[in-house]
Amino acid sequence: STGHALPAPNESGPLPQHCFLEPGAASVDEMIRDTENGLYITQLHYTRPIDPKQITATGMTRNGTFLIQHGEIACPVRDMRFTQSYLKALNQVEAIGKETRLLRIWDGSLQNVPAVKIASFHFSSGTPG
């Protein structure tokens, strides 16, 4: 522990704060070009833990979700709900972006993160709208 999590007990379980992930070597354009069929997701929103031991969360895509076909963005798609273990997702990383974005999270903490290309991610349904 780095001391950057909410103190126990809390309703969220372990919740890392002020995460800074090391960038990789790929650009977002390269990750898209190297994808035969997939999704380009610009943001995950309203994420909530549902199984803290497996680091499983649910949430939805937001502010831009696009279908990738044959290495190109083909069209926008409707936002989707996901239920996914972050541990399982991070075990399927194929590429990490070389640029990072500094994001302020709802609790005031900062996250500095690159884009990540993941081989598989579980989407459970579409969102209303």
Side-chain angles (χ1 to χ4, degrees):
S1 173
T2 62
H4 290 100
L6 293 177
N10 67 69
E11 293 179 6
S12 300
L15 183 64
Q17 297 178 307
H18 307 298
C19 290
F20 284 68
L21 300 179
E22 188 172 331
S27 71
V28 171
D29 288 340
E30 290 168 334
M31 287 188 259
I32 291 170
R33 270 196 309 271
D34 291 342
T35 303
E36 183 63 23
N37 291 298
L39 293 171
Y40 174 51
I41 298 166
T42 62
Q43 184 179 0
L44 298 179
H45 171 68
Y46 201 67
T47 60
R48 298 292 183 262
I50 57 174
D51 183 353
K53 287 185 178 182
Q54 295 298 315
I55 318 297
T56 300
T58 188
M60 48 190 135
T61 62
R62 179 179 182 185
N63 294 333
T65 303
F66 303 91
L67 180 65
I68 300 171
Q69 291 182 318
H70 311 294
E72 295 183 353
I73 293 179
C75 61
V77 296
R78 192 167 143 187
D79 286 324
M80 295 174 280
R81 175 160 292 284
F82 70 88
T83 302
Q84 176 68 53
S85 163
Y86 291 150
L87 292 176
K88 289 180 181 177
L90 291 173
N91 277 321
Q92 300 182 74
V93 170
E94 294 182 345
I96 299 174
K98 59 185 172 184
E99 296 179 9
T100 61
R101 288 182 56 196
L102 185 63
L103 307 170
R104 183 173 302 279
I105 306 304
W106 62 271
D107 65 358
S109 67
L110 297 173
Q111 315 289 328
N112 194 46
V113 295
V116 179
K117 181 179 177 184
I118 298 173
S120 176
F121 202 83
H122 183 257
F123 292 96
S124 50
S125 66
T127 61

